[in-house]
């Protein structure tokens, strides 16, 4: 059985941030940190005291994480970025409400004494002799300590307190990974039993010492289970106080999902029920797991559940049938064709997530060239006279300021200059659209035609159903916020953001087939209407060709969205040779184009060159960050591999920024997840000048000094399928409706009469519904028992006591 833990984190927006620039504004961004690991960085929002990010991350974590923190900083292109403030959320605070956290939280000042990280390894014994009790504290080592010196290291020593006594270890210079291996003995003094506190400090020749963290153990713990092993360092216990709003506030959404994933065979009965659900008449279905899920799932959970269900059915090659099942249910209860799929129903969310899962490469291919042009050219465009800044036109025209009419004509030409290539790319992309998407749209097209056969609906409804998804829920949102669809690394500046909004509105109007042109409050869009109407006929023809496809789902991968040989990530990185010559190590990094597939990590001088070097993914044993001090360079990671002889080799790669670093770390860790013999520890430094820069050990083959983080990954649309974890999510959601299901179809003795009177259902249908319900409840009960058995096994293992360090 596997345990899983993931954080759904959304950095929404900030407000009332302090001005850090001479212009009276700031350039804020947010760092998301879990314990010692920076997991995400939002894009910078330029010149704003109330930034909107709207960036969402799913972070897969080890079960023992302690704290989630958000640091808001002001980006400074010259010098160091200024820290504005932070928010810290403990694991307990996040889990206090099962729905998670969704609120505005005031930023707190960053206290250096609270910025601790790392762990300490201790072994404590309580001894008694003729003189009384003695505490023997064996201080072995520490790792991943916070750097307090400009060299990126510290000079750590430990101070042990027991009652009124204290002793210190020696100081280890210039390291974040000290090895003391010193035993400190303290005698018990008269009085009440005292706790043991171990503090770590950075020694400074000038000024006061810097605090690095502490651990504390109660007298009861010392007596019953003396500490032995690695322990996370904590700040001095003090209540964290916010700044009362003086530093501004941050709106965040956080939800922790922890679960135990059972072996595959435990989920087989549930999987069979889910697969059977899509075989029957969807319109009459009220008791299958899918019908129940649709009834129960509300709000934020619906999108997550839709993703899990789509992945489950994709893995079985039945995604088309699943979407068709939901489509038939949605269409059957829709009276007005103009409202079809306009709500955030399970059907709408499932189709939306399906497009992202299988269609993101297609989206990038279609939109990225034009989106990149908009960002790079930074042309000023505006049609709304209330928003026009005619003073800007002096910089556009050598003839002085343009009139409002001239500005409108100029903007119209620029907009159509971008819209034309967008429409050309979309209508010419039939052959590049993934077959699975085309088949899903074909089924949708057919179901809408069957439901609304009237002549007045034939012209538009069948087209609107498809364009409502493809244009309104796929292309238009990606144009509006390209950062959220991985089309750009940064959010748009205000001027570019306005241009993207105008383009998104135009694409949305095209997706509506021009039906709402001239309606509403945005009459200033009227000059664009002739161009949009010309595009509508081309879009109808495109949709006709899009659904003109033969085949079924047999060609859809059964276990992954992409075959192992497919490239899951690529781009330019700086690569360091294994054995650089000379001492100028930073110049040993050479620019290389890197490809990562499920099988290999490959390098060449450019995308056009033949690959000159390749590493099998199966050889990867660790993928970790590298300390900046190792090469005096930021954003460096290492890929540790093992060859056939058992020897370890390290490849160093430098990324452009922390986001790119996190994405490559995550992709490499996911690709190598099934590999055996993963390293539990490695060196975050480099072996230079005959020693490791991190722990100062003199042997190249010395054991790693820092634990690895293979469990920390970022969830995204290219994640591999995990049927067991997805089935576990469905099971948890079904549990929420179990009592309702029992009451509805099993425990009410008058159910037959009530259902027949209300729905006109025949006894045979009611009998089938009762049988399906009984079977579903039985499957849920079996899964309950399986979870309880595994929990008992875990409790039994825990009773045996902890393992050694």
């Amino acid at each position: 059985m596997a345990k899983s833990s993931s954080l759904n984190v959304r950095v929404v927006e900030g407000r009332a941030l302090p001005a850090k620039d001479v212009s009276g504004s700031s350039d804020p961004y947010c760092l998301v940190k879990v314990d010692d690991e920076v997991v995400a960085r939002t894009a910078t929002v330029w010149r704003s005291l109330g930034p909107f990010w709207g960036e969402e991350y799913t972070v897969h974590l080890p079960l023992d994480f302690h704290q989630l923190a958000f640091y808001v900083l002001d980006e400074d292109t010259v010098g160091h970025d200024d820290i504005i403030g932070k928010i810290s959320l403990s694991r307990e605070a996040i889990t206090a409400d099962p729905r998670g956290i969704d609120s505005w939280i005031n930023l707190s000042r960053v206290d250096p004494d609270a910025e601790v990280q790392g762990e300490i390894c201790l072994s404590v014994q309580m001894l008694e002799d003729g003189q009384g009790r003695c505490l023997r504290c064996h201080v072995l080592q520490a790792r991943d300590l916070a750097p307090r010196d400009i060299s990126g290291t510290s000079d750590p020593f430990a101070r042990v307190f027991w009652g009124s006594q204290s002793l210190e270890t020696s100081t280890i210079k210039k390291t974040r990974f000290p090895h003391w291996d010193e035993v400190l003995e303290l005698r018990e003094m008269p009085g009440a039993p005292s706790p043991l506190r171990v503090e770590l400090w950075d020694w400074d020749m000038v000024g006061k010492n810097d605090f690095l963290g502490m651990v504390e153990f109660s007298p009861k713990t010392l007596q019953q289970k003396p500490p032995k092993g690695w322990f996370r360092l904590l700040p001095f216990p003090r209540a964290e106080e916010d700044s009362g709003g003086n530093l501004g506030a941050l709106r965040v959404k956080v939800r922790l999902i922890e679960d135990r994933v059972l072996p595959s065979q435990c989920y087989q009965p549930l999987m069979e029920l889910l697969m059977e659900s899509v075989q029957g008449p969807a319109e009459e279905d009220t008791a299958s797991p899918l019908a129940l899920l649709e009834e129960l799932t509300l709000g934020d959970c619906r999108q997550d559940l839709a993703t899990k269900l789509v992945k489950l059915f994709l893995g079985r090659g039945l995604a088309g049938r699943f979407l068709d099942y939901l489509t038939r249910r949605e269409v059957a209860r829709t009276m007005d064709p103009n409202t079809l799929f306009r709500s955030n129903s399970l059907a709408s969310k499932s189709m939306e997530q399906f497009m992202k899962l299988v269609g993101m490469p297609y989206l990038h291919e279609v939109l990225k060239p034009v989106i990149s042009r908009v960002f790079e050219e930074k042309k000023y465009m505006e049609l709304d006279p209330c928003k026009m800044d005619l003073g800007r036109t002096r910089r556009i025209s050598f003839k002085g300021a343009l009139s409002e009419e001239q500005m409108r004509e100029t903007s119209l030409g620029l907009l159509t200059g971008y819209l034309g290539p967008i429409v050309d790319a979309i209508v010419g992309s039939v052959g590049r659209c993934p077959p699975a998407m085309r088949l899903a749209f074909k089924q949708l097209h057919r179901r809408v035609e069957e439901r609304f056969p009237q002549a007045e609906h034939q012209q538009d409804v069948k087209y609107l159903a498809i364009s409502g998804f493809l244009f309104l829920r796929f292309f238009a949102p990606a144009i509006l916020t390209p950062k959220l669809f991985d089309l750009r690394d940064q959010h748009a500046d205000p001027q570019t953001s306005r241009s993207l909004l105008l383009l998104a509105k135009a694409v949305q109007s095209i997706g509506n087939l021009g039906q709402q042109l001239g309606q509403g409050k945005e009459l200033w869009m009227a000059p664009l209407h002739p161009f949009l109407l010309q595009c509508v006929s081309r879009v109808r023809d495109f949709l006709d060709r899009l659904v003109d496809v033969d085949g079924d789902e047999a060609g859809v991968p059964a276990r992954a969205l992409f075959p192992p040989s497919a490239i899951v990530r690529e781009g330019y990185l700086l690569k360091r040779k294994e054995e650089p010559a000379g001492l100028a190590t930073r110049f040993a990094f050479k620019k290389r184009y890197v490809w990562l597939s499920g099988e290999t990590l490959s390098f060449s001088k450019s995308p056009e060159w033949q690959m000159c070097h390749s590493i099998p993914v199966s050889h990867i044993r660790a993928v970790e960050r590298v300390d900046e001090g190792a090469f005096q360079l930021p954003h460096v990671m290492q890929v540790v591999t093992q060859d056939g002889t058992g020897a370890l080799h390290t490849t160093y790669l430098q990324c452009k920024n922390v986001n790119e670093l996190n994405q490559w770390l995550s992709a490499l860790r996911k690709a190598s997840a099934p590999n055996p013999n993963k390293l539990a520890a490695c060196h975050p430094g480099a072996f230079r000048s005959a020693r490791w820069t991190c722990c100062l050990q003199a042997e190249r083959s010395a054991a790693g000094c820092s634990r690895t983080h293979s469990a920390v990954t970022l969830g995204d649309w290219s994640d591999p399928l995990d049927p067991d974890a997805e089935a576990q999510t469905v099971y948890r959601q079904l549990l929420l409706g179990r009592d309702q299901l029992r009451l509805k179809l099993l425990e009410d003795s008058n159910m037959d009469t009530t259902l027949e009177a209300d729905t006109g259902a025949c006894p045979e249908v009611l009998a089938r519904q009762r049988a399906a319900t009984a079977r579903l409840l039985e499957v849920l009960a079996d899964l309950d028992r399986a979870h309880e058995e595994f929990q008992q096994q875990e409790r039994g293992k825990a009773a045996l006591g902890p393992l050694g360090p």
Side-chain angles (χ1 to χ4, degrees):
M1 181 182 67
K3 291 184 178 181
S4 66
S5 175
S6 64
L7 274 171
N8 289 340
V9 179
R10 189 169 187 227
V11 185
V12 185
E13 57 186 318
R15 69 181 179 196
L17 300 182
K20 291 290 185 178
D21 303 335
V22 292
S23 62
S25 64
S26 291
D27 302 320
Y29 67 91
C30 184
L31 280 179
V32 184
K33 188 175 182 181
V34 177
D35 291 338
D36 303 341
E37 186 92 344
V38 175
V39 295
R41 179 202 192 277
T42 68
T44 301
V45 179
W46 303 102
R47 302 184 299 282
S48 175
L49 301 180
F52 177 82
W53 290 289
E55 297 189 24
E56 191 168 355
Y57 309 94
T58 298
V59 188
H60 302 288
L61 296 163
L63 291 168
D64 61 347
F65 90 95
H66 291 74
Q67 179 178 270
L68 172 69
F70 301 85
Y71 293 81
V72 179
L73 298 94
D74 170 58
E75 183 166 331
D76 191 346
T77 55
V78 180
H80 294 288
D81 295 347
D82 296 325
I83 298 179
I84 295 174
K86 76 166 188 175
I87 294 169
S88 295
L89 299 173
S90 67
R91 181 196 187 95
E92 292 72 22
I94 296 170
T95 56
D97 187 335
R99 294 170 299 180
I101 294 171
D102 179 2
S103 62
W104 284 96
I105 304 175
N106 287 339
L107 293 171
S108 300
R109 299 190 185 281
V110 176
D111 179 3
D113 285 348
E115 298 303 298
V116 304
Q117 66 180 55
E119 299 170 299
I120 186 170
C121 187
L122 302 170
S123 179
V124 178
Q125 292 178 292
M126 297 295 295
L127 306 174
E128 289 196 34
D129 55 23
Q131 301 178 14
R133 290 209 307 170
C134 169
L135 184 146
R136 178 177 291 170
C137 182
H138 189 181
V139 184
L140 289 96
Q141 57 182 309
R143 62 189 179 194
D144 296 307
L145 301 181
R148 296 298 193 205
D149 301 336
I150 58 174
S151 63
T153 62
S154 293
D155 303 321
F157 68 92
R159 185 179 290 155
V160 180
F161 296 86
W162 193 42
S164 59
Q165 300 182 74
S166 67
L167 291 174
E168 293 181 2
T169 67
S170 58
T171 299
I172 310 293
K173 295 293 186 69
K174 296 188 182 304
T175 182
R176 294 172 48 235
F177 301 85
H179 284 252
W180 291 288
D181 197 14
E182 297 183 26
V183 177
L184 306 179
E185 293 190 355
L186 301 96
R187 286 283 170 184
E188 184 177 44
M189 304 300 289
S194 301
L196 169 67
R197 188 171 79 251
V198 181
E199 299 175 359
L200 294 190
W201 292 83
D202 167 53
W203 177 83
D204 278 336
M205 180 180 295
V206 180
K208 66 175 185 176
N209 297 333
D210 297 314
F211 180 68
L212 293 172
M214 58 162 283
V215 291
E216 190 169 62
F217 307 97
S218 67
K220 182 179 180 180
T221 299
L222 294 175
Q223 188 64 39
Q224 296 181 357
K225 187 187 286 186
K228 185 177 182 181
W230 285 98
F231 301 94
R232 179 168 294 280
L233 294 171
L234 302 173
F236 277 126
R238 64 183 67 173
E240 183 174 289
E241 298 180 1
D242 66 45
S243 63
N246 292 333
L247 298 178
L250 193 65
R251 185 186 173 200
V252 295
K253 295 183 179 182
V254 181
R255 186 161 61 100
L256 175 64
I257 303 169
E258 291 184 308
D259 231 331
R260 293 174 176 84
V261 181
L262 301 171
S264 298
Q265 63 268 21
C266 297
Y267 297 109
Q268 281 306 114
L270 177 59
M271 295 288 285
E272 291 172 6
L273 279 180
L274 289 171
M275 301 308 144
E276 288 175 11
S277 297
V278 302
Q279 309 293 334
E283 299 83 352
E284 302 172 8
D285 185 9
T286 60
S288 75
L290 287 178
L292 181 62
L293 283 167
E294 187 173 16
E295 184 177 339
L296 292 173
T297 311
L298 300 172
D300 292 341
C301 296
R302 183 168 287 165
Q303 179 167 313
D304 183 52
L305 179 65
T307 304
K308 300 294 186 185
L309 287 170
V310 169
K311 285 192 167 188
L312 264 178
F313 283 93
L314 266 174
R316 295 297 182 97
L318 295 172
R321 290 190 183 183
F322 165 66
L323 295 172
D324 187 42
Y325 170 89
L326 295 179
T327 296
R328 284 181 283 144
R329 289 179 61 80
E330 180 89 355
V331 169
R333 57 175 175 251
T334 301
M335 297 295 106
D336 182 359
N338 294 316
T339 64
L340 191 59
F341 299 114
R342 296 294 169 152
S343 67
N344 286 322
S345 63
L346 186 60
S348 297
K349 283 295 181 184
S350 295
M351 180 65 86
E352 190 175 317
Q353 296 308 306
F354 170 76
M355 290 191 296
K356 289 182 179 179
L357 285 166
V358 304
M360 285 293 271
Y362 165 64
L363 177 83
H364 283 209
E365 189 176 357
V366 170
L367 292 182
K368 197 162 190 174
V370 180
I371 296 298
S372 296
R373 271 186 56 207
V374 175
F375 271 80
E376 291 159 8
E377 294 176 359
K378 296 186 181 298
K379 297 290 182 64
Y380 179 71
M381 300 179 285
E382 187 54 74
L383 295 179
D384 186 352
C386 297
K387 294 183 181 296
M388 280 187 186
D389 181 3
L390 297 179
R392 296 181 60 92
T393 62
R394 291 191 180 92
R395 296 192 293 273
I396 299 173
S397 172
F398 292 109
K399 300 178 181 180
L402 300 179
S403 66
E404 183 178 302
E405 182 62 30
Q406 290 173 319
M407 182 72 251
R408 186 180 297 110
E409 289 299 319
T410 300
S411 297
L412 186 63
L414 291 170
L415 276 170
T416 54
Y418 291 124
L419 273 173
I422 288 176
V423 175
D424 289 345
I426 292 174
V427 300
S429 68
V430 171
R432 289 172 286 166
C433 184
M437 280 181 65
R438 296 183 64 184
L439 288 167
F441 290 144
K442 179 181 180 179
Q443 290 178 158
L444 174 61
H445 184 270
R446 184 172 68 249
R447 296 304 179 187
V448 173
E449 271 193 319
E450 293 170 352
R451 176 68 177 84
F452 299 103
Q454 299 88 346
E456 65 267 24
H457 298 318
Q458 285 300 303
Q459 285 299 313
D460 289 324
V461 174
K462 62 183 180 182
Y463 293 113
L464 284 169
I466 302 171
S467 65
F469 283 116
L470 194 59
F471 283 80
L472 276 60
R473 292 177 181 257
F474 199 48
F475 289 136
I479 293 170
L480 181 63
T481 53
K483 169 70 172 66
L484 303 186
F485 286 77
D486 290 330
L487 286 165
R488 297 292 296 184
D489 291 334
Q490 296 288 333
H491 286 300
D493 59 67
Q495 177 181 316
T496 304
S497 181
R498 178 62 182 173
S499 300
L500 293 172
L501 175 62
L502 294 174
L503 290 170
K505 285 180 178 292
V507 170
Q508 197 170 24
S509 296
I510 294 171
N512 283 323
L513 305 183
Q515 284 194 347
Q516 298 174 5
L517 292 182
Q519 302 176 19
K521 300 178 181 179
E522 297 175 344
L523 299 179
W524 45 266
M525 290 281 286
L528 199 57
H529 291 175
F531 178 86
L532 300 181
L533 289 172
Q534 291 174 12
C535 296
V536 168
S537 60
R538 298 179 66 197
V539 167
R540 288 177 187 272
D541 176 65
F542 161 69
L543 296 176
D544 279 330
R545 289 183 288 118
L546 193 68
V547 300
D548 184 15
V549 57
D550 296 324
D552 54 28
E553 290 184 286
V556 177
R559 296 290 297 178
L561 296 178
F562 306 104
S565 59
I567 302 299
V568 296
R569 188 157 192 85
E570 62 182 302
Y572 279 107
L573 298 176
L574 296 179
K575 177 178 179 286
R576 178 180 179 265
K577 296 177 181 178
E578 285 262 9
E579 300 292 340
L583 298 177
T585 54
R586 72 182 304 168
F587 299 110
F589 283 83
K590 303 295 184 182
K591 189 175 182 180
R592 294 290 181 264
Y593 198 83
V594 186
W595 291 268
L596 172 65
S597 73
E599 296 174 339
T600 60
L601 178 65
S602 305
F603 309 89
S604 74
K605 288 188 176 181
S606 71
E608 296 78 23
W609 280 54
Q610 291 185 345
M611 294 176 191
C612 56
H613 179 56
S614 184
I615 298 173
V617 167
S618 59
H619 290 186
I620 295 176
R621 296 294 175 262
V623 184
E624 295 295 319
R625 283 178 167 81
V626 176
D627 289 341
E628 287 195 19
F631 302 105
Q632 303 303 313
L633 292 170
H635 316 312
V636 178
M637 65 177 173
Q638 57 180 313
V639 181
V640 183
T641 57
Q642 191 172 35
D643 62 23
T645 67
L648 295 177
H649 304 277
T650 305
T651 301
Y652 296 98
L653 300 168
Q654 187 190 18
C655 304
K656 289 183 297 186
N657 52 52
V658 69
N659 267 353
E660 186 178 67
L661 173 63
N662 284 327
Q663 290 160 3
W664 273 102
L665 284 169
S666 182
L668 284 161
R669 287 170 181 171
K670 289 173 187 175
S672 59
N675 293 357
N677 305 320
K678 289 283 191 63
L679 296 180
C682 71
H683 293 281
F687 194 78
R688 292 171 51 195
S689 302
R691 67 177 185 177
W692 287 100
T693 59
C694 45
C695 57
L696 308 182
Q697 296 186 77
E699 295 292 329
R700 181 185 285 273
S701 59
C705 56
S706 177
R707 63 181 178 136
T708 54
H709 300 82
S710 60
V712 181
T713 60
L714 294 175
D716 59 31
W717 55 270
S718 62
D719 275 352
L721 305 183
D722 188 348
D724 298 337
E726 289 141 15
Q728 174 64 20
T729 300
V730 174
Y731 156 69
R732 288 295 183 200
Q733 195 66 33
L734 284 169
L735 287 184
L736 298 177
R738 178 161 56 182
D739 292 341
Q740 178 182 340
L741 193 61
R742 287 170 175 163
L743 179 65
K744 185 176 181 181
L745 290 175
L746 291 181
E747 297 179 356
D748 189 344
S749 59
N750 298 321
M751 186 60 65
D752 286 7
T753 305
T754 304
L755 274 178
E756 195 161 354
D758 290 348
T759 66
C762 63
E764 292 78 7
V765 172
L766 296 176
R768 287 199 301 271
Q769 290 176 348
R770 282 197 303 273
T773 302
R775 187 178 171 196
L776 175 57
L777 290 170
E778 183 180 341
V779 167
L780 295 179
D782 288 342
L783 283 168
D784 284 347
R785 285 190 289 272
H787 274 281
E788 181 59 33
E789 289 174 5
F790 279 106
Q791 287 175 0
Q792 290 177 359
Q793 293 176 15
E794 288 177 0
R795 287 193 289 266
K797 292 177 182 177
L800 297 176
L803 299 175

